[in-house]
Every structure is written in structure tokens, then in C-alpha cells.
Amino acid sequence: MRKLFWYMLKEEWRLHSTMFGSLSFALFPIMVGGMAFMGSFLLPFIRRSLPPGNLSLILHSNYLLLGFMVGAFGLLGNEAMNRRFGQASLIAYAARTLPVSDREIFATFVLKDLLYYFVLWVFPFALGFLLASPFLGIPLYHPFLLSLTLTISFLSGLSLIFFLSSLYSRTHAGLFAIMCILILILAGYGIMTGDNPARLFPPLILFEDFSLLLLGECLIGIIILSAVGVLLFTPENIAASRQYRDQILPLSRLLSRFPTPALSAKDLIDLYRSGSAIGQTLFSFLIPLLVIWFFLSLTSDYLPKRNVLFLYAMTTGIIASTMYTWLTAFDSFASYACLPVSVKTVIISKIASFTVLQVIPVVFLAIICMISGQAVYLVPVIVLALSTSFFTLAVTVWLAGLSPNVLVYDVKVMVRYFFLIGLVTAVFSSIAFANPWASLSSVILAIPAWFLIRLGCKKWEIQEQPVY
């Protein structure tokens, strides 16, 4: 297993360095560390505006979210074992030809990915903060403790989603039963104590009051959830065989106002028949956003409830933009190469399919507005979320074309992505905080979004499409 683990690590490096160069890939964690290092010097100014504890709350919730976003291994099933990078056959597929069990290979695959994301995201951030600490007069104890608790946050999110997604691949009813029980427990706690259940997040408690006992409990919980996730994993589709009636023609007619109705219909049918539509919505959208809502609600003593809602709307828009990745993750352009279909046509079809999927964040935000008692702001909230989502989509198309799930680790791509999204978020969150109805002005983002999509289509038309 150790040799298999080492080979998988080498394979990961080879794949990414082939995609966009060894130097660019190697610079990615350095970029994260550099951002943490420079951001640390803003701490004295941040402390003047943020109440004590809120900064650590934001950091731990972000790393919990990162764990959520990368931990849905159980959803991938056979895809994780074969087509994680489009058409590339990975070592993980060796269980089909060698006397190595699927479960052993998958467990190694998960461990490799765990280390992979740790090296890319968790360790560089902690190191950047550690290097800046002597200049800020911060005791070294704090950066070491923060690196530990951020790691626990990341692993907590990853192991929980891994367990739930593996359970989902086995039994949908079992998953929903467990989620209902968890929601009832958290709601009951909130009603009985009047406190936000997010305050019970173990890594946050660990950072504020370190305890070896709590650390041990966190690690045991992570190990148990991960082990059960591996045991539940199956590379095969265990659901009963299904028959589907022809949907391409009626769906194409329904989407006839779109530029490429047939291709858009194909995308939606693929999502529906593979089960990805429900699974991705649940694990890549709803669960992360519900957790973010819990953590954002803790800032209500600092931020007005209205401002929390608009900040949440922008966050929802950014996460909703990842639906474009759902549509492109396992759909290589090589499949279209023998057809009279251009890269621009495929990109436009993905954007059209993406537009249909935006009904999910619209319904979700409408429910949030009703529950939070702020239905009066429903229109500006939805406009702000959709404007953010489509602008982020446009940036993704311009920077990554049809391969956003791969090119995201190109440091040149990520720096520009962070800069543009951060700039827009800063500007329009300030506008929304000043006057909620002024956030309707975010529709102006349609202009740069249209411009970026045009640039992206032109850019990727003249470049050879990568085949992985």
C-alpha cells in the first residue's frame, strides 16, 4: 500500500505538471503561503474592526468548507477510479487488471488526496502565518495551534462529506434519515439553549481552549467517519437498472430559445441520469451553504442581520458558479472532436445549461429570505447572487475554458481569479451594506461578464484543447 501511495503521488504531480508546467503547479502552494504571509500584516487593522474571535471563526469555517468541497469521494464512484481527469486512465483503475481490491485502492486514493490538498492549501497558509508571526510579535504557540485546528477543520469537513456521500451511493433513504436526525438535534439544541449550534464546532473550541482530550475525540471521530466511508464505498452502480424514455427531443424543444438546445439538453440529461444533479446539489451546494449560514449567523452581534443576508447572497453566487464545473468535469472536448462542433459552441452550450441550473440558488435564497424574516429583500438578494454567479462564471470561462476543474491549480489562473472575484465582492458588498436596494446595480456586472465570455471563447477557439 505504501508503494501504491507513492506511485499515486507521483502520478498526481506528473498529471498536473503536464497540464500547465511543473513550475506553475509548484508555485501554487507558494502563492497560498505568500497570501497568508502578507495578509498577516493586516491583522492589527482587522482587529480594530472585527470583534475578538470572529477572525478565527472565519478561518475555521473556510477550511471546513474546503473539506466539504473536496470530500465527496463517495459520489464519484467509478469516476474516481478511472476518469478523474477526463479520459486519463489512472493507477486507481488497476483493480480491474491486477489482484488488488477496489477498496484498498480507493482507500489509498483518499489518503493521497488528503495529503495533496493539505500540501496545497492547509500547510502553506499555516507556514505563511508562522513566518510573519515574529514580525508581528505573535507568540509561536498561536501559529502552530492554528495550523493544527485548521487541519482538524479541513479533515472534519472532508470526513463528514465523505461518509455522507458514500452512504448516499448505497442508500438515499439512509442518508436523508441521518441528515434529518442531525438537523433535529441541532435545532433542538438551539431552541433549548438559545445558542447557535455552530459554537459547538470542536476545532473552534480547540483553538480557544486547547485540550488533549478534545483533540483525541476529534481525531477519533475523523478516523471513524473516514473508515466507514471507505467500507461503504462501491465502484459499481448498485442501483437497480433503469429504463429512460427519449428526453432529448422534448427537452430540446423546451430549451429552443437557447443557442444550442440539443447540447444543453444533453448536459441536463447526463446530470439527471447519472444522479449527479441531486448528489452535486446536495454535497457541493446545499450542505456547504447551510454550514456557512450557521457560521455567518454568529456574526450577527457584529454585522446587522440584513448585511449578513447580502454577504450570504454573494457567497451563494460564488458557490453557484461551480455548477459550470459540474457540467465540464467529465465531459472532454475530445468527445466532440469528430463532430462539426466548435469549442465556442460547446462553451455556449455549457453556459446555457448553467443558466437552467441557476433555478437552484434562486429557490434556495428565496427560502432563506423567508426563514430569516427578510422577504422584503428577496429581489435585491437574488439579483446580487445571480450577478455574482454569472460574473464568476465569465471569469472561469475566460481563464479555464472547458477545464476549470484542472486549470484551477495553475497559479497564474488562480491569482487572476482571486483578484477579480475579490474586487467585485468588496465593491458590491460595500454597496449592499450601505443601501440594500442599491445592490440592484450589480446587474451592471453583465457587461464585463459578456466581454469576458467573448474573450474566453476567442481564446479557447485558437488553442488546442487539452486531452487528459
Side-chain angles (χ1 to χ4, degrees):
M1 187 172 180
R2 183 171 59 183
K3 184 179 290 186
L4 181 63
F5 179 77
W6 173 245
Y7 285 152
M8 283 188 175
L9 283 178
K10 290 178 67 176
E11 180 181 60
E12 195 83 36
W13 169 264
R14 178 182 56 80
L15 282 167
H16 281 92
S17 60
T18 300
M19 290 169 194
F20 37 78
S22 301
L23 179 61
S24 186
F25 182 50
L27 285 175
F28 186 87
I30 296 175
M31 176 199 71
V32 175
M35 292 172 64
F37 179 80
M38 292 183 290
S40 298
F41 289 93
L42 297 176
L43 281 176
F45 304 99
I46 295 174
R47 284 171 177 167
R48 296 174 189 171
S49 55
L50 271 181
N54 275 31
L55 183 59
S56 64
L57 171 68
I58 293 170
L59 287 175
H60 286 88
S61 60
N62 280 337
Y63 273 83
L64 175 68
L65 178 62
L66 176 63
F68 281 160
M69 299 301 285
V70 304
F73 300 111
L75 263 189
L76 301 179
N78 202 35
E79 299 292 353
M81 302 289 280
N82 184 33
R83 293 186 57 212
R84 186 180 179 211
F85 295 98
Q87 303 301 319
S89 257
L90 305 181
I91 293 173
Y93 205 57
R96 301 296 184 273
T97 56
L98 301 177
V100 184
S101 70
D102 288 309
R103 191 163 281 116
E104 181 180 350
I105 283 187
F106 186 68
T108 309
F109 181 89
V110 172
L111 288 173
K112 179 267 300 178
D113 256 26
L114 191 154
L115 178 62
Y116 172 70
Y117 286 109
F118 176 81
V119 170
L120 285 178
W121 290 100
V122 182
F123 177 73
F125 183 90
L127 182 61
F129 181 46
L130 175 65
L131 293 176
S133 296
F135 300 99
L136 299 169
I138 298 175
L140 293 181
Y141 166 78
H142 289 292
F144 280 112
L145 178 60
L146 182 64
S147 63
L148 174 63
T149 54
L150 288 182
T151 302
I152 297 295
S153 295
F154 170 68
L155 294 178
S156 298
L158 186 146
S159 59
L160 178 60
I161 292 298
F162 178 31
F163 163 71
L164 293 177
S165 62
S166 295
L167 180 63
Y168 176 81
S169 68
R170 288 279 186 174
T171 165
H172 296 183
L175 170 71
F176 288 113
I178 287 181
M179 289 191 65
C180 287
I181 292 171
L182 287 174
I183 291 172
L184 288 174
I185 291 174
L186 294 174
Y189 173 84
I191 293 171
M192 292 181 64
T193 65
D195 199 4
N196 192 316
R199 295 190 185 277
L200 297 176
F201 186 46
L204 196 58
I205 299 174
L206 199 62
F207 181 73
E208 294 171 352
D209 185 15
F210 182 78
S211 164
L212 285 175
L213 178 61
L214 181 57
L215 174 61
E217 291 173 351
C218 290
L219 293 176
I220 290 172
I222 290 168
I223 291 171
I224 290 175
L225 288 174
S226 301
V228 174
V230 171
L231 291 174
L232 288 173
F233 167 75
T234 174
E236 309 298 339
N237 184 1
I238 62 173
S241 60
R242 297 176 181 177
Q243 290 185 343
Y244 298 95
R245 58 186 176 84
D246 180 20
Q247 295 172 302
I248 189 73
L249 292 178
L251 194 53
S252 296
R253 284 194 291 268
L254 189 64
L255 302 175
S256 59
R257 293 184 179 274
F258 287 92
T260 54
L263 292 177
S264 299
K266 170 198 169 293
D267 287 334
L268 298 175
I269 291 171
D270 284 346
L271 279 175
Y272 170 68
R273 292 185 179 180
S274 66
S276 296
I278 297 174
Q280 291 280 22
T281 300
L282 185 63
F283 296 107
S284 299
F285 184 78
L286 292 180
I287 292 179
L289 281 174
L290 288 173
V291 171
I292 290 174
W293 178 255
F294 271 117
F295 279 98
L296 276 179
S297 61
L298 286 176
T299 65
S300 57
D301 295 336
Y302 165 67
L303 286 175
K305 198 173 183 180
R306 183 191 70 193
N307 290 359
V308 172
L309 178 64
F310 280 89
L311 183 61
Y312 189 67
M314 298 198 75
T315 305
T316 301
I318 293 171
I319 293 181
S321 70
T322 62
M323 291 178 178
Y324 178 73
T325 306
W326 304 0
L327 296 166
T328 58
F330 299 113
D331 191 12
S332 169
F333 181 74
S335 306
Y336 304 88
C338 60
L339 302 174
V341 177
S342 66
V343 174
K344 177 181 177 180
T345 301
V346 176
I347 290 176
I348 296 301
S349 75
K350 301 297 181 187
I351 294 174
S353 306
F354 172 89
T355 303
V356 175
L357 291 175
Q358 294 309 289
V359 70
I360 297 173
V362 168
V363 172
F364 178 76
L365 283 173
I367 294 172
I368 289 294
C369 287
M370 301 296 179
I371 293 175
S372 63
Q374 300 187 78
V376 66
Y377 297 124
L378 177 62
V379 173
V381 161
I382 289 178
V383 169
L384 181 61
L386 289 180
S387 299
T388 305
S389 180
F390 277 95
F391 177 78
T392 308
L393 164 72
V395 173
T396 304
V397 169
W398 173 53
L399 293 175
L402 292 169
S403 305
N405 59 316
V406 172
L407 294 180
V408 68
Y409 293 109
D410 185 339
V411 67
K412 298 187 295 294
V413 169
M414 187 56 74
V415 167
R416 286 179 284 181
Y417 180 88
F418 279 155
F419 174 76
L420 290 172
I421 304 307
L423 180 64
V424 166
T425 302
V427 170
F428 284 96
S429 60
S430 301
I431 291 173
F433 289 178
N435 184 341
W437 292 97
S439 62
L440 291 173
S441 63
S442 60
V443 295
I444 199 173
L445 289 173
I447 297 174
W450 175 79
F451 180 70
L452 287 171
I453 288 173
R454 285 196 63 185
L455 278 180
C457 290
K458 183 177 180 181
K459 170 185 175 180
W460 296 105
E461 272 285 335
I462 61 178
Q463 291 191 25
E464 183 177 355
Q465 293 302 300
V467 178
Y468 309 120

